[in-house]
Amino acid sequence: MLTVASVNVNGVRAAFRRGMAAWLAARNPDVLLLQEVRADDRTLAEHLGEGWHVAHQASDAKGRAGVAVASRVPAAAVRVGLGNGTPEPAVDTGRWVEMDLEVGERPLTVVSAYVHSGTAGTEKMDLKYAHLDKVSRRLEELTGQARAGEREVLVAGDVNIAHGERDIKNWKGNHNKTSGALDAEIAYLDRWTGELGLVDVARRIAGDVPGPYTWWSWRGKAFDNDAGWRIDYQLATHGLAERAVDAGVDRAATYDQRFSDHAPVVATYDL
């Protein structure tokens, strides 16, 4: 069994101050995918402790983004970023890390991904779409390799897009008004889970129900009222998704027990 946990920590130092260490010890995942690390390599390693093989891309913009893959299974290879050998714009750094693991019948590539939020009708939204285009091109390559039998792929993280009405408590108030709920953004997820064949593992396990949400605003009573968004995913190639035996969201019991404004998405695969 391989347990994979993915979470936007909203700053690893802040998350550990709020109790992430206790959750990590209790969950004890084999692979941990982090987004919005907001720290350097040394700081991340100090917080995670010993026993992890870590691949991390900090953002060029200090205090922003940053993604990491931490695995108890040794890494066969690591690839950082979507620049394909060329420098990335600052807005794209700290948003994509791949690690190849020798587990199961064929190699498994796990990806920690973070897609920044946008503001509809602004330059920030244009930058988000440009990054999503880069993600789509890389997913075309990875899923093509999976169809050829070369690997299985798991892409997980915070993509800042809710796929549909079940994924936002206030769908009518946000649909085609707020970034994260625009049809042009949703079209990317439609393609990834349609043409490219990736499976939304948590949705497959949960079924046709509201949520389970993965993000709630710190403000007001959003968490207490479960007025959240489901914007964090584990997207798996078909062969891997077929081996998912469990998946869910580790929602904190109370507001003051949260270590981030996001909750971890955790899945177990029988490899």
Side-chain angles (χ1 to χ4, degrees), residues 14 18 53 228:
R18 294 183 179 115
H53 304 273

Side-chain angles (χ1 to χ4, degrees), residues 68-87:
V69 177
S71 173
R72 300 290 192 187
V73 180
V78 166
R79 292 169 297 278
V80 175
L82 292 167
N84 195 25
T86 63

Side-chain angles (χ1 to χ4, degrees), residues 10-134:
N10 199 14
V12 70
R13 284 167 288 207
F16 271 77
R17 285 197 303 270
R18 294 183 179 115
M20 181 177 170
W23 167 81
L24 186 58
R27 257 303 186 178
N28 193 29
D30 302 294
V31 180
L32 177 65
L33 308 177
L34 303 176
Q35 301 88 46
E36 288 206 84
V37 174
R38 300 180 186 173
D40 58 21
D41 291 352
R42 180 178 177 181
T43 300
L44 175 59
E46 288 173 348
H47 282 79
L48 290 179
E50 298 181 352
W52 296 99
H53 304 273
V54 180
H56 174 222
Q57 185 193 37
S59 176
D60 287 349
K62 189 174 181 180
R64 303 297 299 272
V67 291
V69 177
S71 173
R72 300 290 192 187
V73 180
V78 166
R79 292 169 297 278
V80 175
L82 292 167
N84 195 25
T86 63
E88 294 182 283
V91 72
D92 289 335
T93 60
R95 301 187 187 279
W96 189 273
V97 170
E98 302 179 14
M99 182 182 286
D100 294 344
L101 305 175
E102 297 294 338
V103 293
E105 298 175 357
R106 64 181 76 175
L108 170 63
T109 295
V110 291
V111 182
S112 182
Y114 173 59
V115 178
H116 61 287
S117 60
T119 303
T122 69
E123 181 184 4
K124 188 176 181 181
M125 201 71 225
D126 295 336
L127 293 171
K128 181 175 184 178
Y129 288 131
H131 185 74
L132 285 165
D133 288 339
K134 291 184 178 182

Side-chain angles (χ1 to χ4, degrees), residues 96-266:
W96 189 273
V97 170
E98 302 179 14
M99 182 182 286
D100 294 344
L101 305 175
E102 297 294 338
V103 293
E105 298 175 357
R106 64 181 76 175
L108 170 63
T109 295
V110 291
V111 182
S112 182
Y114 173 59
V115 178
H116 61 287
S117 60
T119 303
T122 69
E123 181 184 4
K124 188 176 181 181
M125 201 71 225
D126 295 336
L127 293 171
K128 181 175 184 178
Y129 288 131
H131 185 74
L132 285 165
D133 288 339
K134 291 184 178 182
V135 170
S136 292
R137 286 193 291 271
R138 181 57 181 152
L139 290 181
E140 288 175 20
E141 296 170 351
L142 289 172
T143 55
Q145 292 165 6
R147 286 191 296 274
E150 299 174 17
R151 67 176 77 232
E152 295 293 351
V153 180
L154 177 65
V155 181
D158 173 11
V159 302
N160 267 302
I161 303 170
H163 201 174
E165 186 170 355
R166 299 169 298 179
D167 303 308
I168 311 177
K169 182 69 171 284
N170 182 15
W171 170 255
K172 290 183 179 179
N174 288 286
H175 183 219
N176 275 331
K177 301 171 187 174
T178 306
S179 176
L182 307 177
D183 283 343
E185 296 171 289
I186 293 168
Y188 286 91
L189 277 171
D190 285 342
R191 184 174 180 232
W192 300 348
T193 57
E195 176 189 341
L196 300 187
L198 291 170
V199 177
D200 180 348
V201 176
R203 172 57 66 208
R204 182 172 184 170
I205 296 291
D208 188 12
V209 299
Y213 306 123
T214 64
W215 176 85
W216 305 260
S217 172
W218 286 116
R219 299 188 298 272
K221 293 290 186 179
F223 184 80
D224 294 339
N225 295 331
D226 201 22
W229 294 52
R230 194 174 78 96
I231 54 176
D232 304 84
Y233 298 87
Q234 290 199 25
L235 303 175
T237 45
H238 181 75
L240 180 63
E242 286 293 308
R243 294 181 175 273
V245 296
D246 189 35
V249 175
D250 281 2
R251 187 183 191 274
T254 63
Y255 177 94
D256 60 4
Q257 292 179 37
R258 305 166 73 191
F259 62 80
S260 172
D261 52 352
H262 294 252
V265 180
V266 185

